[in-house]
Each structure stands twice: as structure tokens, then as C-alpha cells.
Amino acid sequence: MAEKTYPVLSRRQIEGLIADGRSVFILDQYVFKADPWLKYHPGGDKAILHMVGRDATDEVTALHSTEARQQMNRYRIGRIEGRWTNFIPPIQGGKFRPLSDGNVEDDAEECDQSSTGTSSNPSSRDVSPVFDNPEPALRKRHAADGRPGSASTSSVSSVEVDDDGMSYLDTITKEKTTLDLEKYPSLDFATQDTIVAKYRDLDQRIKAEGLYKCNYGAYAIEVTRYSILFGLFLLFLHWGWYVSSAVCLGAFWHQLVFTAHDAGHMGITHGFHTDTVIGIIIADFLGGLSLGWWKRNHNVHHIVTNAPEHDPDIEHMPFMAVSHRFFESMRSTYYDHVMEYDAFAKFMLRIQPYTYYILLLFGRLNLYRLSWDYLIMGRGPRKGPAWWHRWLEITGQTFFWTWYFYGVLYLSIPNNWDRFVFFLISHMVPMPVHAQICLSHFAMSTSDMGPHESFPQKMLRTTMDVDCPQWLDFFHGGLQFQVIHHLFPRIPRHNLRRTQKLVQEFCNEVGIPYALYGFVDGNKRVVGTLAEVSRQAAILAKCQKVISESDDPIHGHHH
């Protein structure tokens, strides 16, 4: 049977489809219309929406199995010729002209405009203070006085007090972006295409070396460790050693997270339903956390890593902020609400370097809230191949709250004080996993480098690895190799250390810095980032206070 042929769609036609509300993206030179699949996608609709108008080949390949990619072919509607130049997706603020618009430019002219590093179409989004008004020295490695550029926040002397302080934020944004432009390879098409080609070659080499194959013997050791921890939890509970029992249960939960993470990425059997069931048993039945919520959240995180408006993994307002951009009360495209920079947020951000680890101690409680919100509100697919996952998860949640709250806290512990202490300790002990997750990204770039940055460069710019001895791998559970994991999410975690050397060679070849820090140094960088943002908030408050106290509220000058 002859393979189906597809019409060639012009850039202008694709823009018109997106303007009409269609969820269209490019995959291996084919045009896909994902509208029918949005409500069925097990990874949530947001992940797809962030790919609209973009070449999603690398993101789709990284996050999906070969079988899943083959099933996607039913959504092909056409093909393209030549190199695709990314639009900015509507969810990120991109604007598109309908085909009925009479002011139509030819594709060649639009591609010429896009090669400047701005939007693929001057009308496709609002003006960016970074990319639409580049300063002449933006790509230079040194300032005019010969000194390297810096993002000093030590004083307000460099900020004109003639506005509401927003120019100060714009200055920081441009400084951060300039530093990233100096540090990482050029965003021109030739450089980025070379990086993508070598990244794809690396993927083929990883496959050839069998690094996508799961080491089931390693999981036998994991299961043994889990069993020992769970057994000690029950034994100490029986003996009335409640603190020791709570510590063992917390350690059990800490370790379980790593295998649930593997299952969520189909990194165990590589089978969608098999790994999902494994993940639900671990996360929901034993840990009280929703695997479906995690998938929806985590897929977006992998696609728009460290983007303050879009990545839920760095959206912790009003308690924490890792970028000055949160001072603008921006709207989260993931949570669909404004992250208000209000009085409470200003207070919390002022002390965030000191409250960071305290907040992480109670991070699991927030995950309960997010899990139940996902399940009760039905945010996952209700039809399609994953329709039954929600009901299995609700069953798992019921099971968890029954055995933990009724069986352990109520039946096995005699008084309320011991129950409270047990609850507190068992939920505080898994804190390191929250620190490990934050460590990988909080100190890395949050700059918006525009739509033409390649997937591998973005992952390497926004993620760090943690250097630790091999014998300690069990404690980090693969999260110490987040750079490798973000580049190749489906590689089983027990193969990440072997893959690390290949990734380091790739980074050296393409000239992208590979961020690798020790656990202590990495934590210092995270706390340092939080302290820097705290200082920036204080400076902004001073700017605004001077303006509010002046006689001229517009220009901030006394007369």
C-alpha cells in the first residue's frame, strides 16, 4: 500500500491555521494538527500548547516512545519544505494573522525578518524589551570601558528615579540576557542547526550503546532497599518507637519518588500503561501523590524549563522567587492566574534566603494539595487511552489515606501528641528530594532567549548537574544528573552516569558550558540566587518609595 502523500503548506497557511485557533506544530518536516488529541494527551494539553507554531521534533523525540510517535502520524495534515523558523506560541503571547488578512507578506521576506533573532513575524507577538530593542553592545563580550558586564544590585545609583521602578527591572533583564548571550553559543540559525544535528547524532550513539535499556538488576536492589525501610517502619511502630518509625517511613517516601519519576518518564519498561501503573502504585497507593498531576506538571517543566511565566517548577509565589521578573505580578500560563507581587510576597521574598530550607521541610504538604486539585477538578484526560488512570489514582489515594491516617496515625499511635510528632517527622524527612529538585534549576538562567534557541542549548542553559561519588547515587536517585535527564528524559536513571561522559564530550564539541557543581557548592549558588533576588526586591522598593514620597509622582523630582 502506497504511503499517503501530504500537501506542502506554506508558512503563511500555517500561520492562518494557528490564527484560527488550531494547535499546529512541526515534527520531522510534517505539519501536525493536534486539536483532536489535546483532551486525550496523558501529559496534559499545556505541553502541546507550548509547541504550537514551533518545530517540536526534539521535544517530542525526547519525551515520547517510538510507538507513541507512530500513533501521532494520524494527525498529519501536511508537510513543509526547507528549514522551519519558529513562531512564538499563542500561550506565550504570540499573535497570528488570519488568512483573510489582506496584508500578506511572502514567506521569503518573513524568514529574512526572523533571522534577526526576533519573532518569525513582526506581528506574531508583543514587543520585547530584550529582543526588539537590542542595544548595540548586546553581543559584545565587554562593556565600552573594557570591563566585563555585571549585574550588580548593590545600589540604586545606576537607576534613574523617574518612573515606577520598571526601568530598573528592564535593566536587570537586559544584563542577565547579555551575560547569557556572551556565555552560550550564538542564536543564529547555522550555529543552532549544528548543535541540533550533533545532539541527534548523540541520541543515536546512546541508543547504539544500549543506554536506553533498563538495568532490572539495579531495580532489584532498589526494591530491597525500599522493603528494608518499610519493614523497619512497621517494626519500630510495633515497638512504640514512633520517632524512629517516622524517620524510616519518611526515608521510604524519599526513595520511592525516584522510581515514580522513572515510571512517569516510561524509563522502566518503556511501556506506557505498564510504567504508568507502576508509577501509580508507588506514587498514589504508597506515597499519596498523584502521578497524573506530576506528568502534567513535569512535561511542561521539561519543555519550558526555567521560564518564569510558564514553568510551574519555579513558580512558588508568594513564598519564593528565583527571578526579579516575578516582581511584575506576571500571569502563570500553567496555573492560569496572576502571581501577585503583593505585600505578603514582598515580605516573604525579603527573607527567602533564610526561609528556603524551612519551606522545603513542608514541601510534601503542597504536593498533596496539587494532587487532589488535579484529581478532583478532573484536569487529566477523561477519554482516550488514559481515561481510567484517574480512577485508579483516586482508588490509590483512598488506599493511602486509609492506611496512613487511619491505620498508622489513629489505630497504631495512642495519643495526639505522638500522632502529631509522627506526622511532622515523616513528612519532614523527605525534604532532601525537594532540595535536590530545586538545586538543579534555581541557580540557573531564567532568561528568555527567544524562539530560535535550540532544545539542547536551552536544557543545558537552565539545568545543572551535581557531582557526587558513585556510591552515593542511591541518595540522589538520578536527580544529580538532571542535565543528562533533561536532554534524554527516557534514559533509565541507572545508565545516566555512563551517559554523562558522552554529554560532556558533546558540550565540549558544540561549545556549550556544562554546569557541574558539588552538592554543597550547588546549594550555595541556590541560596545566593535567592539572596540576589531578595536584594533586587529591596532596591525596587527603595525606588518606588522615593517616587511615592516625591512631590511629582510622574517624574519623582522635588520642586
Side-chain angles (χ1 to χ4, degrees):
M1 183 176 178
E3 185 177 352
K4 182 179 179 180
T5 59
Y6 296 91
V8 175
L9 297 181
S10 71
R11 181 177 184 77
R12 187 68 187 87
Q13 288 174 303
I14 293 172
E15 182 183 9
L17 288 171
I18 299 172
D20 291 338
R22 306 301 181 191
S23 298
V24 176
F25 61 86
I26 311 301
L27 175 59
D28 285 332
Q29 296 297 105
Y30 286 98
V31 182
F32 286 70
K33 185 164 72 72
D35 300 76
W37 183 243
L38 281 177
K39 59 184 178 181
Y40 303 135
H41 185 222
D45 59 339
K46 303 281 188 179
I48 296 175
L49 294 177
H50 280 291
M51 288 290 98
V52 172
R54 296 177 56 92
D55 185 337
T57 301
D58 292 316
E59 288 87 344
V60 170
T61 301
L63 292 166
H64 297 82
S65 65
T66 302
E67 293 75 19
R69 289 198 55 182
Q70 291 173 347
Q71 293 176 8
M72 293 179 195
N73 290 341
R74 73 184 77 171
Y75 301 108
R76 289 177 177 175
I77 61 170
R79 57 190 178 90
I80 61 170
E81 291 182 340
R83 186 193 192 282
W84 178 256
T85 303
N86 290 330
F87 287 109
I88 292 180
I91 192 174
Q92 297 179 16
K95 295 181 174 63
F96 298 82
R97 300 165 300 169
L99 283 175
S100 58
D101 190 334
N103 183 22
V104 179
E105 304 171 11
D106 58 56
D107 290 353
E109 185 178 346
E110 291 178 6
C111 288
D112 287 342
Q113 291 170 338
S114 68
S115 65
T116 64
T118 62
S119 169
S120 55
N121 176 338
S123 67
S124 68
R125 63 173 167 85
D126 295 330
V127 175
S128 163
V130 177
F131 294 99
D132 294 332
N133 296 295
E135 297 179 354
L138 192 60
R139 289 291 301 167
K140 294 182 180 179
R141 300 221 173 233
H142 298 278
D145 60 1
R147 295 175 297 174
S150 65
S152 173
T153 61
S154 59
S155 74
V156 294
S157 60
S158 61
V159 181
E160 292 293 333
V161 195
D162 59 359
D163 58 20
D164 61 355
M166 289 301 105
S167 66
Y168 170 63
L169 299 184
D170 288 345
T171 299
I172 300 175
T173 299
K174 289 183 178 181
E175 287 176 342
K176 296 285 188 183
T177 304
T178 300
L179 290 174
D180 282 340
L181 288 169
E182 292 174 347
K183 185 176 182 180
Y184 294 93
S186 170
L187 297 176
D188 67 80
F189 289 164
T191 301
Q192 294 300 306
D193 288 350
T194 299
I195 292 171
V196 168
K198 292 184 181 297
Y199 167 70
R200 294 176 183 177
D201 290 342
L202 175 60
D203 186 44
Q204 293 304 313
R205 181 180 175 186
I206 289 171
K207 289 178 181 176
E209 295 194 14
L211 295 174
Y212 276 99
K213 296 180 180 178
C214 183
N215 179 359
Y216 292 108
Y219 276 108
I221 297 174
E222 300 286 347
V223 171
T224 301
R225 184 184 305 115
Y226 303 160
S227 300
I228 291 172
L229 288 172
F230 194 76
L232 289 174
F233 144 66
L234 292 176
L235 179 64
F236 293 148
L237 183 67
H238 177 70
W239 286 351
W241 297 5
Y242 302 126
V243 171
S244 299
S245 178
V247 169
C248 290
L249 179 58
F252 173 71
W253 283 340
H254 172 265
Q255 290 289 297
L256 281 185
V257 167
F258 305 137
T259 300
H261 179 258
D262 299 342
H265 278 294
M266 294 184 295
I268 301 177
T269 70
H270 298 303
F272 171 61
H273 288 300
T274 304
D275 278 2
T276 298
V277 170
I278 292 173
I280 289 175
I281 291 173
I282 293 172
D284 291 87
F285 282 78
L286 299 179
L289 306 178
S290 166
L291 187 77
W293 158 78
W294 176 87
K295 281 188 177 185
R296 184 175 186 262
N297 176 289
H298 203 64
N299 283 350
V300 173
H301 164 67
H302 268 266
I303 290 172
V304 288
T305 309
N306 265 26
E309 304 93 333
H310 314 300
D311 182 1
D313 275 17
I314 64 168
E315 294 179 345
H316 301 295
M317 291 288 281
F319 300 101
M320 284 189 291
V322 297
S323 169
H324 65 279
R325 293 167 64 190
F326 287 102
F327 303 163
E328 302 173 25
S329 292
M330 63 177 62
R331 184 174 186 82
S332 166
T333 60
Y334 181 82
Y335 292 112
D336 291 324
H337 67 71
V338 175
M339 297 176 285
E340 295 285 355
Y341 185 53
D342 53 19
F344 181 71
K346 292 175 182 178
F347 171 76
M348 292 303 299
L349 266 56
R350 188 182 310 163
I351 60 174
Q352 66 176 4
Y354 312 102
T355 59
Y356 170 62
Y357 291 109
I358 297 173
L359 291 171
L360 293 186
L361 286 170
F362 303 97
R364 195 174 186 88
L365 302 181
N366 185 48
L367 300 188
Y368 289 148
R369 178 186 67 84
L370 293 170
S371 295
W372 275 102
D373 173 78
Y374 172 84
L375 293 172
I376 293 174
M377 301 304 294
R379 302 189 189 280
R382 300 190 182 191
K383 297 180 180 179
W387 70 268
W388 53 274
H389 293 175
R390 179 192 182 206
W391 301 108
L392 181 60
E393 287 204 83
I394 290 175
T395 302
Q397 291 287 324
T398 303
F399 178 82
F400 170 80
W401 292 102
T402 300
W403 75 258
Y404 179 71
F405 275 96
Y406 181 71
V408 175
L409 290 182
Y410 181 73
L411 290 183
S412 303
I413 300 176
N415 60 73
N416 289 333
W417 174 251
D418 285 342
R419 289 167 184 154
F420 173 74
V421 170
F422 186 96
F423 176 87
L424 209 60
I425 293 176
S426 63
H427 283 79
M428 292 168 64
V429 168
M431 184 274 273
V433 75
H434 303 293
Q436 289 161 328
I437 293 170
C438 296
L439 177 60
S440 303
H441 301 289
F442 273 25
M444 298 301 288
S445 170
T446 58
S447 299
D448 177 4
M449 304 303 288
H452 308 313
E453 183 179 34
S454 64
F455 172 72
Q457 180 163 316
K458 182 192 296 184
M459 296 303 103
L460 287 159
R461 178 174 59 83
T462 57
T463 313
M464 77 160 67
D465 272 357
V466 177
D467 191 19
C468 75
Q470 188 170 355
W471 65 267
L472 202 55
D473 282 354
F474 81 93
F475 178 76
H476 291 285
L479 297 184
Q480 75 273 36
F481 298 119
Q482 281 290 283
V483 169
I484 295 94
H485 172 67
H486 268 255
L487 291 170
F488 307 102
R490 292 182 298 109
I491 292 181
R493 68 173 148 113
H494 302 102
N495 295 338
L496 292 174
R497 184 172 287 276
R498 290 169 56 195
T499 309
Q500 184 182 40
K501 296 179 180 178
L502 302 180
V503 170
Q504 288 174 322
E505 292 175 6
F506 163 76
C507 290
N508 292 334
E509 187 176 0
V510 299
I512 301 178
Y514 173 65
L516 179 66
Y517 298 93
F519 186 73
V520 174
D521 288 340
N523 274 278
K524 287 180 179 178
R525 288 180 63 86
V526 169
V527 175
T529 297
L530 296 172
E532 180 186 16
V533 173
S534 183
R535 288 193 297 271
Q536 291 165 349
I539 293 171
L540 177 62
K542 289 180 182 179
C543 291
Q544 294 173 334
K545 182 179 180 181
V546 170
I547 296 168
S548 65
E549 292 177 351
S550 68
D551 295 332
D552 185 347
I554 297 179
H555 297 95
H557 296 308
H558 292 279
H559 296 289

